[in-house]
Every structure is written in C-alpha cells, then in structure tokens.
Amino acid sequence: MAMETVSTNKAFGGAQGVYKHRSSSTGTEMTFSVFVPSHAAGAKLPVVWYLSGLTCTHANVTEKGEFRRACAELGLIFVAPDTSPRGEGVPDDPAGAYDFGLGAGFYVDATEAPFAKNYRMWSYVTEELPALVAAEFPADMDRQSITGHSMGGHGALTIGLTYPDRFKAVSAFAPIVAPGQVPWGEKALTGYLGADRAAWRRHDAVALIEDGARLPDLLVDQGTADNFLDGQLKPELLEAACGAAGIPLTLRRQEGYDHSYYFISTFLADHLRWHAERLG
C-alpha cells in the first residue's frame, strides 16, 4: 500500500499531516504524523524524530506537544510514529495491561511468540519509516535527530546510541534509562526478547553506555513530581553511566513537573532549539 493521507491542516505557515501505510516490518497498517514547515521550493529540511510513551499513539504529541511554532521558526520537520503495531490479529497482553502489547512496543524487534510476527518496531522506526519519509517529504536525511518521552525516551536513547553517526542530536523526556533494572522494562523485554538478559543490553541505554556506546552530548528533562521517577525511570543510573563514560549529560530536574504532556509541552521547544543547533 502506498502512503495515504488521513488529514492535513495548516499550522504556523506549514502543514501538519497524518498519514498511513501498510508496513512490511509489522505486517499491519501503521499511522504516523509529520509537520513540514514552510520552506523554499526544492529545499531539504532537517528531521526531528519524536518517539511516544506507553499507551500513546502519534496523536498525543501531535495534539498536545506544542512543537509547531518552534519547528516553523527553526525549519525542522517533526515526525511522530505510533508506539506499536495495531489491528485485527495483533497479539496483546493477555491480561489487557497497559504496559505490554498494544501501545507498548518498546521499540524492539520481538523474537518471542506470538509477538515476533508483528512487534518489529525497531526495524520500523530505524529502517522502514525513514525510507518512506525520505521518499515522500523534503527531508534532509543527513541531518536527523531524535527525542522521545518515557518508553519513547528509552527508544530515543537506545536508537541514538546505536546510530550516533545518523542522529546529530539525542534528547529525552523522563526516559526509562535502564529497562533491565525496572519493572516496566523487565516485563517488556522478557515478553518480547525472552529471559536471556544478555539479549536485552542493546535495548538498554545504561547497558549500551557500559558496553562502549557513546554520544557527543545528551539532554534529558525529568520532572521531580513524576510518580514514576523512583520506581521506573531512575535518571541517576544514566547520570552515573554518562559520568563514568565521559559523556556530557545535561540532566535538568524540573521542580514540580509530572509525567504528562503539560511537562513535555513546557520544555519541547527548548529541546528543538538544542537539536537545531546540532543539526546545522
């Protein structure tokens, strides 16, 4: 299936679109959003990828992120994929829990039945969707960066650490920095990748850094009133890993902010300006 336009709306002089296509990675129809700022004919613009968190789709940041004004001013394309495959026959958490299955793909390629057939979000986000964006939008794929929230912050960190030459800037909001050490991650990585913890390390930002992955610098915002802070997020583990590895980390603990899009929308323009400086 070729890319199909679901909707387009003019915003800040640019175009906010929602699109769908048949994915060869997941075997399902996938929906994503793209904001393209106003630009000169023939121009190619840098791309910022935004990965969303548990229970979210492309729509959460598209509707609540308040990113378009900054993207229009900075000349940035903003791409927001979905968080998992969806549709009839796609397996879900047997108990219907929110933290596994639909809406909770964790940006990995599953190897365990019955999830291995459809849950291939790593390949989708790092290979298939970038190729589609490059073909359909005025995207300069030599100037890409990545950010995300919570589970999406985990995805942004692990993808950025794996492809440091591709992504010129990496940041995150309240990321799951060490999924191998917290309940959300242990459940998801066991379910998708199996019980061998060695297989988890390439999908764990702290483990990747311990194993030699490097970035020139890193920006993370974390709300101090986030109810997942101590049990699931543990930014101090990323702080320690970056310190030991010599990675310059700017970890901003934002007093009184929680895990919601009120927090993300407050600081997303800051991140976009930080990305723009590194994208050139």
Side-chain angles (χ1 to χ4, degrees):
M1 178 187 290
M3 188 183 80
E4 179 181 338
T5 299
V6 177
S7 64
T8 57
N9 296 92
K10 186 171 183 177
F12 295 98
Q16 176 63 67
V18 177
Y19 308 92
K20 63 182 179 180
H21 70 114
R22 184 75 184 178
S23 168
S24 59
S25 298
T26 67
T28 66
E29 190 172 81
M30 296 294 288
T31 303
F32 64 100
S33 73
V34 181
F35 176 73
V36 179
S38 178
H39 58 283
K44 294 285 190 178
L45 306 179
V47 180
V48 178
W49 294 85
Y50 179 93
L51 305 185
S52 294
L54 290 166
T55 76
C56 292
T57 70
H58 70 282
N60 297 75
V61 70
T62 305
E63 296 170 2
K64 302 176 184 178
E66 300 182 28
F67 57 86
R68 279 171 285 268
R69 181 188 296 274
C71 285
E73 293 172 355
L74 297 166
L76 301 173
I77 292 175
F78 190 95
V79 182
D82 202 347
T83 54
S84 78
R86 300 176 193 272
E88 186 177 352
V90 176
D92 195 6
D93 184 282
Y98 74 94
D99 56 357
F100 187 76
L102 297 181
F106 264 81
Y107 305 100
V108 303
D109 282 350
T111 58
E112 298 297 296
F115 303 100
K117 178 182 177 181
N118 303 117
Y119 284 78
R120 298 185 54 80
M121 291 302 296
W122 180 274
S123 291
Y124 179 71
V125 169
T126 65
E127 298 173 14
E128 184 179 4
L129 189 55
L132 183 61
V133 167
E136 298 288 346
F137 298 94
D140 183 351
M141 303 306 280
D142 290 328
R143 292 189 292 163
Q144 298 183 72
S145 67
I146 191 165
T147 187
H149 169 235
S150 194
M151 178 186 72
H154 141 76
L157 293 178
T158 55
I159 291 170
L161 284 161
T162 302
Y163 300 107
D165 294 334
R166 182 190 305 185
F167 296 100
K168 309 303 182 186
V170 181
S171 72
F173 297 87
I176 306 169
V177 304
Q181 301 184 51
V182 299
W184 275 344
E186 290 179 331
K187 177 178 180 178
L189 297 180
T190 300
Y192 294 134
L193 303 179
D196 182 5
R197 288 177 173 261
W200 300 3
R201 295 187 68 83
R202 65 185 295 261
H203 294 292
D204 182 310
V206 167
L208 280 166
I209 293 169
E210 291 173 349
D211 292 345
R214 296 291 181 266
L215 291 170
D217 54 7
L218 184 58
L219 172 63
V220 172
D221 272 318
Q222 173 62 63
T224 62
D226 190 322
N227 58 325
F228 301 114
L229 177 58
D230 295 328
Q232 304 282 9
L233 306 178
K234 298 185 179 294
E236 67 277 6
L237 298 178
L238 180 66
E239 194 170 36
C242 286
I247 298 174
L249 167 66
T250 301
L251 174 57
R252 307 193 302 187
R253 291 177 169 89
Q254 304 290 3
E255 188 66 32
Y257 284 89
D258 59 18
H259 202 68
S260 73
Y261 269 87
Y262 295 109
F263 158 59
I264 298 163
S265 63
T266 300
F267 300 105
L268 186 48
D270 284 355
H271 281 238
L272 292 170
R273 285 188 285 269
W274 190 85
H275 283 242
E277 290 174 359
R278 287 151 181 79
L279 288 165

